[in-house]
Amino acid sequence: MDKQVVEILTEEDLKTTDMECLNKGIHVIGQYIIISMGKKQTTGYRVEIKSIKRQEDHYVIEVAFRSPSKHSILIQQITNPQIAIKKITTRPIKIKVFYGDGSDRLENEAYIL
């Protein structure tokens, strides 16, 4: 992964940043890119970066939505799985979100200038 392209924020960074993301999708707030699965009724869901690749004139960031396995022991608790990425490049970024249910089907994509 090209760590010079993005800086992944920690949970503590998110608490000190004034941003809200409650819908499933890709959102841009200033220089931050928020990728969220939306509200879930249990624990076990997560958002993770699969890869960061440099193309000729832009970067491609592939992100996976992961669901808990069928045999997981889960806690009934409302969660909002998301990841925040700080854009530290002037090149455009293409975000591709895959749903990781085994088929890794394309769920959503966006091109951020």
Side-chain angles (χ1 to χ4, degrees):
M1 271 192 228
D2 192 339
K3 295 185 191 250
Q4 296 173 338
V5 178
V6 295
E7 169 186 324
I8 300 171
L9 299 180
T10 65
E11 191 71 35
E12 198 58 38
D13 293 327
L14 288 173
K15 289 178 185 173
T16 60
T17 306
D18 185 26
M19 50 184 153
E20 187 174 337
C21 181
L22 298 176
N23 297 324
K24 180 178 174 183
I26 301 167
H27 307 276
V28 178
I29 302 169
Q31 60 183 332
Y32 297 97
I33 303 164
I34 311 297
I35 304 162
S36 173
M37 291 181 79
K39 287 186 179 180
K40 300 295 179 188
Q41 299 299 315
T42 65
T43 58
Y45 294 90
R46 65 189 188 284
V47 180
E48 58 187 43
I49 293 179
K50 290 175 59 172
S51 67
I52 299 174
K53 300 173 187 167
R54 183 177 178 172
Q55 303 293 324
E56 284 185 29
D57 62 343
H58 67 283
Y59 286 91
V60 176
I61 300 176
E62 293 185 347
V63 177
F65 286 172
R66 302 289 185 206
S67 299
S69 68
K70 292 180 181 182
H71 303 292
S72 296
I73 297 173
L74 305 173
I75 297 172
Q76 253 190 331
Q77 173 182 333
I78 294 176
T79 60
N80 184 23
Q82 61 186 344
I83 190 167
I85 303 168
K86 182 178 180 182
K87 183 179 175 188
I88 56 175
T89 181
T90 57
R91 292 177 181 263
I93 296 177
K94 184 176 188 176
I95 304 286
K96 295 176 129 187
V97 179
F98 295 88
Y99 206 90
D101 58 359
S103 64
D104 271 356
R105 72 182 186 280
L106 186 63
E107 177 82 7
N108 197 357
E109 67 183 331
Y111 198 73
I112 300 162
L113 300 176

